[in-house]
Structure formats: structure tokens, C-alpha cells
Amino acid sequence: MTSALEGLKILDLTRLLPGAFCTQLLADYGADVLKIEQPGQGDYNRQFAPIHKQESGSFLLLNRNKRSLTLDLKAPEGKEVFLRLAREADVVVEGFRPGVMERLGLHYDVLAAANPRLVYCAISGYGQDGPRAQAAGHDLNYMALTGALQLFGTPETGPIVPGLSIADVGGGSLMAAVGILTALSARGASGRGQFVDIAMTDGLVSWLCYHAADHLFGGVEPRGGERPFIGQAPCYNVYRCADGRHLSLGIIEAHFWHRFCDLIARPDFKPMQWPSGEEALLQKAVLTSVFGAEARDTWVERLAQADIPASPVNAMAEAFDDPQLRHRDMLQYLDHPVEGRIPQLGFPIKFSASPGSIRLPPPRLGEHNESVLAGLGYSADEVARLRERAVI
């Protein structure tokens, strides 16, 4: 089968999660992604715990189907190599603070002059302009700034650290992937590439469409534990069962709620699906007692038989052994020349005619230096000189 993005050439200058996940998504569906890494160190994520044998586990889960070229972009020879690559590329993705590529002399205007069809995607925390453009930040900071962080927690705890990097992935990786593919589509009509400015804060704000409605239209400040879908409503909540494990109850539609009330023999709750204040606390206490009377899996089976939206709160081991995830091939394996047989997360998008595929293991640092440079016309002696000068 033909891969959806076969023939697309991407130069990936990013480090850490947002860019890596974006380019792996594109690589999984056929794009040729070349990681440009700092000689001697490479992507910072290579050093993150847990280390499998030599590489970080998270690096191994974020960088399959990519090649690696080490390149010192501060050296004149390194800039020349990158310019040669950019002339043949479709996309450049970088995740530096605004201004870094300008200081290197490799910013969009320079690259577009060499390759007018180039799509250049810059992923940053706050965007390329504005009063915070140069500010340092990470996922938690973007969550806090946009009002998203207050959605997690309770009145007792206040905001808590979310367990997923929502701004990095939702505001960064996914927005960058959409931006790149949109710009490529536009190039098909115009013949020219363009600059794609991805701010993780902007992307995260767009994810607030449900909860921002409370503020923008209802005049209510949404906080964790104080609004129906973020911990207040008993019908949409998490409960501890008799065996100490937890269950998620996700009832929205009234017919599911009525069925649930019948199941637990509390028909009096039917008119009170969305209580607030003291009524919500009392109803939550009742459901806590009900679920606490039996083991989690007993409740899972009972609720499934009644066709009520509920699921176990799985540990990772349980999740990867879940029949649905197994059926959807969401845990796969590949062979790595150093790390051995390693697990990989499955493809999130299923295509009928051009499915994702694992073609390459995550690259060793600089693994493809010789082949990439030879493809650009560098001789073996020239490659050796670049290595001697620590350009690669």
C-alpha cells in the first residue's frame, strides 16, 4: 500500500515532546523525517529517565520512522549543509525561542529564498510576537496562563499538575501537524510555501471552547470541582470501589441517568441529574457509598450489562492488556539494533487505503550522517573533515 505522505521531506530541528510527536505522526504516515541534532548531545529527550539500554524510553516512543543527522548549525560548514538540505525539503520544523533561527542566519526568509516551496513551521510557547514571545515556559506554564490549569483539581486542593502534557501535545504537536498539512495543501494551489506560527498557548486556548463558554456566556468562572464536567456532578465522576480500585462514571444523557438510578434503586435521583451545592455533595456521598460496597470489576460488568457509560480506571499494565486496545493494535513492537525488541505505541489514525507503518527504528545519534551527506554530494574525505571539525 502507498503511504499517505510518501515523498514528503521534513527537516526536524525540534527537541523534546511537542515537535517530536508532531513529526512522528507525519513520519508514521509516510513522510521522510530527518532529525537535525546537536553533535555529541542530540535531542535532550535522549537523556530522560527511564533509560532502556542507552536511550530514553520516551525518546524511543517519539522518534520511530526518523533518521538522524548531527550538525552544528553555528559553524559555517553546518549552515551550508542545512541550506543544501532545505533546498530539497518540503517542510522545516523548529521549536526554538523566536529569534534563534534569525541569529543563526537560517530563518524563514533565507530558506524561502533558497526554496520558495518550503513550508516552515515554528513551534513556540507564546508565538513569534507579543509581549511574552521571549519568555521561558513549559507545558504547565501555558496551562496556567490560559486559564486551563484551574480546571484541574478541587476547591480543597486548588489547581493541580495534570498528568498529561496537554499544551505540548494538544496546543503544540497537533496544531503543528494540522498547520503543516494545511500549508502543504495551500502550496498545491499557490505553488509557494509559507511560515506557520504555532504558539502552544494559542492552541490551548482553542481547546477551551467548552469551559470558556461558562465565562464568556454565563459569567461564571469554571474551576475544578465546581462545574458539572470537571468534578462537581456525581453523574460524571470517579469513584473508589470496595477493592480500592476506581471506576469512572460518565453519564451525560438523561436516559442513561434514569437507567442508572433504576440499577442502584434510587429512582428519587432521576429528576436531580445535575445538582449543585449541598445537593450535589449529598448525592455524591450516596454514590460513593454505593460504589464502595462492591469491587471495581463487579461494577464494570454490571454497568456494561445495563449499557451505562462507565469504565475502569486502569493502571498502565491493565490498559495495554485491555481487549479493545489490543484489538486496535495500540501496543506494537519493533527491533532496534542497540535497544533490542522494544514496545511502540500504535497508530492513532486508521486509514483504509494508506495506513501507518513502522519502517525504521528510532535512530541512534548521527546514525545517518554518511548516507545523508553522500546524498548531498559530499565525498568521504569531506565528511571526514566535517567530523574532525566537530561540524557533525
Side-chain angles (χ1 to χ4, degrees), residues 20-34:
F21 186 67
C22 167
T23 57
Q24 181 168 280
L25 276 176
L26 301 175
D28 280 351
Y29 298 105
D32 174 12
V33 175
L34 179 63

Side-chain angles (χ1 to χ4, degrees), residues 228-353:
F229 293 116
I230 48 177
Q232 180 196 53
C235 67
Y236 200 86
N237 226 301
V238 177
Y239 294 93
R240 182 183 176 93
C241 299
D243 56 357
R245 296 192 288 177
H246 291 79
L247 174 88
S248 68
L249 186 68
I251 297 175
I252 297 176
E253 296 87 349
H255 66 276
F256 286 129
W257 176 245
H258 292 172
R259 195 180 304 161
F260 174 72
C261 293
D262 288 336
L263 181 70
I264 65 170
R266 290 303 302 254
D268 54 310
F269 281 169
K270 288 184 179 180
M272 299 185 295
Q273 184 179 356
W274 305 103
S276 60
E278 194 64 27
E279 285 188 349
L281 294 175
L282 291 172
Q283 190 182 99
K284 176 75 181 299
V286 171
L287 297 194
T288 298
S289 176
V290 168
F291 284 114
E294 297 191 67
R296 183 197 70 178
D297 290 348
T298 300
W299 276 113
V300 169
E301 180 62 24
R302 186 177 299 170
L303 292 163
Q305 288 179 354
D307 192 30
I308 292 169
S311 58
V313 177
N314 281 335
M316 288 279 183
E318 294 175 299
F320 286 120
D321 195 42
D322 184 88
Q324 180 65 24
L325 270 63
R326 291 204 314 268
H327 177 81
R328 301 285 287 180
D329 291 325
M330 290 311 296
L331 180 61
Q332 301 188 24
Y333 291 87
L334 64 79
D335 293 316
H336 189 282
V338 175
E339 304 295 326
R341 191 155 181 80
I342 59 173
Q344 291 288 288
L345 303 182
F347 306 113
I349 306 168
K350 310 296 197 280
F351 289 102
S352 62

Side-chain angles (χ1 to χ4, degrees), residues 96-100 102-103 126-137:
F96 300 117
R97 284 200 213 186
V100 169
E102 281 80 0
R103 290 192 292 276
Y126 303 106
Q128 298 298 302
D129 49 28
R132 284 187 178 268
Q134 293 297 324

Side-chain angles (χ1 to χ4, degrees), residues 56-382:
S56 159
S58 57
F59 178 87
L60 294 172
L61 291 178
L62 284 166
N63 287 284
R64 66 180 175 230
N65 290 331
K66 303 178 188 180
R67 297 178 295 150
S68 171
L69 169 70
T70 52
L71 195 61
D72 181 0
L73 294 176
K74 295 180 181 178
E77 301 98 322
K79 296 180 196 294
E80 175 57 30
V81 171
F82 186 75
L83 280 170
R84 288 198 198 183
L85 289 167
R87 290 189 187 103
E88 300 178 1
D90 295 289
V91 179
V92 167
V93 188
E94 55 100 338
F96 300 117
R97 284 200 213 186
V100 169
M101 292 296 278
E102 281 80 0
R103 290 192 292 276
L104 290 172
L106 297 171
H107 53 92
Y108 172 67
D109 290 344
V110 170
L111 301 183
N115 179 2
R117 291 178 56 81
L118 184 72
V119 170
Y120 184 113
C121 178
I123 307 171
S124 64
Y126 303 106
Q128 298 298 302
D129 49 28
R132 284 187 178 268
Q134 293 297 324
H138 283 296
D139 182 272
L140 188 65
N141 308 120
Y142 315 142
M143 292 282 290
L145 184 75
T146 58
L149 194 63
Q150 70 175 17
L151 305 176
F152 298 82
T154 68
E156 292 74 30
T157 64
I160 62 172
V161 179
L164 285 174
S165 298
I166 300 170
D168 281 357
V169 175
S173 309
L174 299 183
M175 298 300 175
V178 172
I180 288 166
L181 295 175
T182 302
L184 289 170
S185 179
R187 187 182 74 175
S190 70
R192 296 188 62 85
Q194 60 183 295
F195 188 93
V196 182
D197 178 2
I198 300 295
M200 286 177 266
T201 49
D202 294 356
L204 187 56
V205 168
S206 74
W207 275 47
L208 296 176
C209 47
Y210 186 86
H211 298 294
D214 282 341
H215 167 66
L216 296 173
F217 294 96
V220 175
E221 193 65 50
R223 294 187 177 90
E226 298 180 7
R227 299 296 294 157
F229 293 116
I230 48 177
Q232 180 196 53
C235 67
Y236 200 86
N237 226 301
V238 177
Y239 294 93
R240 182 183 176 93
C241 299
D243 56 357
R245 296 192 288 177
H246 291 79
L247 174 88
S248 68
L249 186 68
I251 297 175
I252 297 176
E253 296 87 349
H255 66 276
F256 286 129
W257 176 245
H258 292 172
R259 195 180 304 161
F260 174 72
C261 293
D262 288 336
L263 181 70
I264 65 170
R266 290 303 302 254
D268 54 310
F269 281 169
K270 288 184 179 180
M272 299 185 295
Q273 184 179 356
W274 305 103
S276 60
E278 194 64 27
E279 285 188 349
L281 294 175
L282 291 172
Q283 190 182 99
K284 176 75 181 299
V286 171
L287 297 194
T288 298
S289 176
V290 168
F291 284 114
E294 297 191 67
R296 183 197 70 178
D297 290 348
T298 300
W299 276 113
V300 169
E301 180 62 24
R302 186 177 299 170
L303 292 163
Q305 288 179 354
D307 192 30
I308 292 169
S311 58
V313 177
N314 281 335
M316 288 279 183
E318 294 175 299
F320 286 120
D321 195 42
D322 184 88
Q324 180 65 24
L325 270 63
R326 291 204 314 268
H327 177 81
R328 301 285 287 180
D329 291 325
M330 290 311 296
L331 180 61
Q332 301 188 24
Y333 291 87
L334 64 79
D335 293 316
H336 189 282
V338 175
E339 304 295 326
R341 191 155 181 80
I342 59 173
Q344 291 288 288
L345 303 182
F347 306 113
I349 306 168
K350 310 296 197 280
F351 289 102
S352 62
S354 51
S357 63
I358 297 177
R359 305 179 306 283
L360 295 171
R364 289 164 287 162
L365 181 61
E367 178 180 350
H368 301 93
N369 283 0
E370 284 76 11
S371 61
V372 170
L373 292 171
L376 291 175
Y378 285 85
S379 68
D381 288 342
E382 289 173 320

